[in-house]
Amino acid sequence: MLTATKICFIINVIVMLQGTITISYLLFKAKRTPVLYSLCLAEGLLIMWLFFSTLEFISTTTEELLFAVRFSLFPLSFVGGAGLIFALLYAGFISPKNKLIMLIIMFPLAITYLPALTNDYFYLIIVKKTIENPAYTQWGVFFIANLVITYSYLAVSLCIILYQVSREFNTNVKKVVLIIVAIAFTPAINALTGFGILRFVYFDITPASFSVLFSFFTMAISKYKFMNIIPIATHNMFFDMEEAVFITDNRNRIMEYNKASSDQFGRIIAIEECKTIDEMLSKLKKYTVDIGKFNKLESFLKESFDKSYYDLIEIFSENETEDRSIKRYSFYMKPLTDKKGRNVARIYFFRNNTDLIKAQLEEERKRISGDIHDNLSNMVNVIKMNLEYAVKHFDEKEEVLNCINIAYDTVKGVRINIRRILEELLPVDIESVGLINALESLFKKVIGAGMELEFYHNGIKDSSINKKRHGYVIYRICMEAVNNSFFNGKAHTISIVLTNKDGLIKLFVTDDGIGCEEIKKGRGLRGIERNVMILGGKVEFGSSDEGGFNIRVEIPFEE
């Protein structure tokens, strides 16, 4: 016949076994972090309490019973603190380095437990408990204080975890409810029995309540991927990203979005009402500058699930019609695959480049203004002074001819400079026309200005080089080298050799100009160095005593 003692013993064993399985499952499936260890500690204390409480069932004397109680009270006294530490770590309110805060949390619990380690002050924990009536216990003031602190900690823990779970999984209501019930069930049962609302004469209901807690946590871990799919630190980083990010499933339903999404688009559309990304984009399209781009994007999403997509889009920052500014975004969509390569989700990025573009435009304006002032203005002044001299001294034929020649040469430089500035404002599309065609077009303009130019190339394949940044860098280096030879070197002939061999792109530029004794790197040469260094290459500048200037460039390149 099963007695109350045997029933309690069996329940305890079942719950301990279930708790052990849950902790093992956690350690096996979830990412091992301090957050995980703090959760395992809290559950481990519960299992420890159940283990020592079974000793109470097999006690035959009051002394043995009280001795067993001393051990069972230890984990029970500290489980509330362990739960609060887990909640704070889980929500990111503290880090594993905040050991002082953890000690402060545990300190009042330790103080209220200390009398259990003594004989003289044990009455502060338990006033009366006998083997004749083990179900009845007259608790002391220190235990009641510990109980109040524990329930306060558990209540705060519940609020923190509720906040964090709802913040992380705003579209998964079932998971939120399950976690809340799992955490709240045991404290609720204990409170009801403690205040006498629920009465169980033959056995303690608390172990059974812990069985429910372990069951719910196991379900949350296995079914809803609690503590598994997205590690806490990773999720917090995702939530706090500056880019607006949306994650959808393979049916385009919005599963997750971060705070920046609400900040960026919350003023014009109600994101929380959008169930799918198609619905969100449809609402957003009403406030775009170029509806054609959104139509193209919507068509792509319907036809191609396994491909990435990139575009630049412009969206009004307010839904009001007056005084609304335009926000410029880099939009990027990438499919997400599982271990078997199957497309299971998509991730959408909206990066706000408005301030960056404004800063770049301002910097570009300053650079162009400096170019015009330093080059064109000076050249125009040279032309002006020489023509004025020619007009005033028209009878001095030799001097006048010399001034006119200087003015003529300067005009050729103005033409080249204007073309250079325009090309920087409207850069050539290397990817479309090809690097070699772009260079040959550039060199024809130089030849048309009166210079001789020899260009030799070998091993350069537009199909491979244009897919990377190398083509643009080489083009800018050649343009800067030609300008340097014409304006600074006063060269008549330039030779350019471009090769691609053994994983290296080599560029050699030499001219027959006046050269220089000391190479002073201005904005042009420093720009060449910067572009080459970005690609992991090296550059050398040289000039001989006989004159001339040369540039040697080597850039690693893998097709």
Side-chain angles (χ1 to χ4, degrees):
M1 180 177 179
L2 290 176
T3 63
T5 301
K6 290 181 179 179
I7 292 174
C8 289
F9 180 81
I10 293 172
I11 292 175
N12 277 13
V13 171
I14 293 174
V15 176
M16 281 190 292
L17 180 61
Q18 187 177 12
T20 304
I21 293 173
T22 301
I23 292 178
S24 301
Y25 188 85
L26 270 172
L27 293 174
F28 177 74
K29 294 291 289 184
K31 185 177 179 63
R32 297 187 180 184
T33 64
V35 181
L36 173 66
Y37 294 139
S38 64
L39 176 61
C40 291
L41 173 62
E43 293 199 26
L45 287 172
L46 294 176
I47 295 173
M48 188 185 301
W49 170 67
L50 293 173
F51 174 76
F52 287 121
S53 65
T54 56
L55 298 179
E56 299 178 27
F57 301 139
I58 60 177
S59 300
T60 56
T61 65
T62 299
E63 289 74 17
E64 291 180 0
L65 178 64
L66 294 177
F67 183 77
V69 168
R70 292 176 191 265
F71 286 96
S72 62
L73 284 177
F74 172 78
L76 194 60
S77 297
F78 292 96
V79 69
L84 180 57
I85 291 173
F86 160 71
L88 292 172
L89 288 171
Y90 177 72
F93 292 156
I94 65 172
S95 71
K97 296 181 181 179
N98 300 130
K99 292 183 173 55
L100 179 60
I101 296 178
M102 299 180 192
L103 291 175
I104 292 174
I105 291 172
M106 290 296 190
F107 182 74
L109 299 175
I111 293 297
T112 54
Y113 174 74
L114 280 178
L117 303 178
T118 67
N119 291 324
D120 296 337
Y121 299 101
F122 188 59
Y123 69 92
L124 295 174
I125 301 291
I126 295 180
V127 177
K128 185 178 180 181
K129 188 177 182 70
T130 62
I131 193 66
E132 289 78 14
N133 188 12
Y136 172 76
T137 304
Q138 183 179 350
W139 300 104
V141 63
F142 268 50
F143 178 81
I144 295 174
N146 183 282
L147 199 63
V148 170
I149 297 171
T150 297
Y151 278 125
S152 300
Y153 281 178
L154 291 176
V156 174
S157 303
L158 175 61
C159 294
I160 292 173
I161 294 175
L162 171 61
Y163 164 76
Q164 185 64 18
V165 170
S166 61
R167 182 173 179 244
E168 291 180 7
F169 303 94
N170 49 34
T171 60
N172 198 331
V173 178
K174 292 181 180 179
K175 175 179 180 177
V176 175
V177 172
L178 185 64
I179 297 298
I180 295 172
V181 172
I183 298 172
F185 188 81
T186 298
I189 291 295
N190 280 350
L192 292 174
T193 55
F195 290 108
I197 299 175
L198 292 178
R199 292 182 179 275
F200 297 90
V201 179
Y202 296 106
F203 65 92
D204 188 1
I205 190 63
T206 305
S209 69
F210 283 128
S211 176
V212 175
L213 181 146
F214 291 142
S215 298
F216 284 175
F217 260 107
T218 304
M219 188 184 303
I221 294 163
S222 59
K223 185 174 181 179
Y224 296 108
K225 309 303 180 184
F226 179 61
M227 298 286 293
N228 186 20
I229 278 189
I230 304 178
I232 304 305
T234 304
H235 189 279
N236 288 342
M237 181 180 67
F238 158 78
F239 194 81
D240 295 329
M241 287 176 67
E242 293 183 0
E243 295 90 347
V245 183
F246 295 83
I247 300 176
T248 65
D249 62 8
N250 53 13
R251 296 182 181 179
N252 281 341
R253 294 177 299 182
I254 298 176
M255 305 303 296
E256 184 68 292
Y257 60 87
N258 63 350
K259 182 176 180 294
S261 302
S262 301
D263 294 342
Q264 295 286 353
F265 306 122
R267 294 183 179 182
I268 55 177
I269 63 173
I271 297 178
E272 64 278 0
E273 297 177 1
C274 300
K275 302 302 181 183
T276 66
I277 196 70
D278 304 290
E279 184 180 348
M280 192 273 290
L281 292 175
S282 178
K283 291 183 177 181
L284 205 60
K285 183 168 65 173
K286 299 176 182 178
Y287 305 100
T288 185
V289 177
D290 188 350
I291 295 180
K293 287 191 175 183
F294 265 79
N295 291 335
K296 180 181 176 183
L297 170 60
E298 289 176 332
S299 175
F300 179 87
L301 295 181
K302 292 177 181 178
E303 297 174 0
S304 306
F305 190 84
D306 58 343
K307 296 180 181 179
S308 300
Y309 186 91
Y310 176 82
D311 205 347
L312 298 174
I313 59 176
E314 295 178 322
I315 299 173
F316 291 111
S317 60
E318 302 283 351
N319 56 11
E320 301 295 335
T321 56
E322 297 181 1
D323 299 329
R324 55 181 181 177
S325 59
I326 295 175
K327 299 291 185 182
R328 295 171 175 85
Y329 294 90
S330 295
F331 171 78
Y332 179 62
M333 186 279 294
K334 179 179 177 60
L336 301 177
T337 59
D338 59 13
K339 293 181 179 179
K340 296 182 179 180
R342 296 173 298 191
N343 295 307
V344 294
R346 279 173 169 169
I347 185 166
Y348 300 79
F349 293 91
F350 292 84
R351 172 173 290 181
N352 188 349
N353 293 329
T354 306
D355 294 336
L356 176 62
I357 292 174
K358 287 181 178 178
Q360 289 176 336
L361 288 175
E362 184 62 28
E363 185 65 27
E364 192 67 7
R365 288 191 188 100
K366 291 180 180 178
R367 187 190 64 78
I368 295 172
S369 174
D371 258 2
I372 293 174
H373 180 273
D374 295 342
N375 294 307
L376 298 185
S377 295
N378 291 338
M379 290 179 177
V380 170
N381 285 334
V382 170
I383 295 171
K384 177 177 174 292
M385 287 187 295
N386 280 276
L387 291 178
E388 283 179 350
Y389 183 88
V391 171
K392 291 179 181 179
H393 303 83
F394 192 72
D395 53 336
E396 301 175 15
K397 295 183 179 180
E398 187 175 346
E399 289 294 329
V400 169
L401 182 60
N402 185 46
C403 289
I404 292 175
N405 284 332
I406 292 175
Y408 174 72
D409 290 339
T410 307
V411 167
K412 291 192 297 182
V414 170
R415 289 179 61 198
I416 291 179
N417 249 323
I418 290 175
R419 285 173 177 170
R420 177 178 61 85
I421 293 173
L422 290 176
E423 284 178 350
E424 289 178 353
L425 287 173
L426 299 170
V428 63
D429 189 353
I430 302 293
E431 190 169 341
S432 297
V433 303
L435 175 61
I436 301 303
N437 287 335
L439 288 175
E440 288 177 343
S441 177
L442 171 67
F443 299 153
K444 284 180 182 178
K445 297 173 184 177
V446 176
I447 295 171
M451 294 184 66
E452 293 184 12
L453 191 144
E454 299 174 352
F455 176 44
Y456 171 79
H457 59 88
N458 184 35
I460 301 297
K461 297 179 181 179
D462 287 337
S463 59
S464 59
I465 198 170
N466 294 345
K467 294 180 181 178
K468 301 184 180 181
R469 190 182 174 188
H470 295 65
Y472 289 94
V473 170
I474 293 168
Y475 182 85
R476 294 300 296 269
I477 292 173
C478 290
M479 185 169 64
E480 188 59 48
V482 169
N483 290 332
N484 183 69
S485 296
F486 184 88
F487 293 111
N488 299 326
K490 311 299 180 184
H492 297 287
T493 303
I494 303 175
S495 176
I496 298 176
V497 178
L498 178 64
T499 61
N500 178 23
K501 187 178 180 182
D502 299 330
L504 280 176
I505 293 178
K506 296 182 179 181
L507 175 66
F508 182 68
V509 183
T510 182
D511 63 45
D512 61 355
I514 59 175
C516 58
E517 295 181 0
E518 180 183 357
I519 299 176
K520 296 180 180 180
K521 298 176 184 177
R523 185 171 55 190
L525 297 186
R526 289 198 301 269
I528 291 176
E529 282 186 326
R530 182 173 60 253
N531 286 325
V532 172
M533 289 176 62
I534 289 174
L535 297 180
K538 60 182 180 179
V539 59
E540 295 178 357
F541 306 109
S543 181
S544 63
D545 296 336
E546 291 78 16
F549 190 81
N550 60 76
I551 302 174
R552 293 181 176 86
V553 175
E554 288 187 0
I555 301 174
F557 180 77
E558 293 291 338
E559 293 192 13

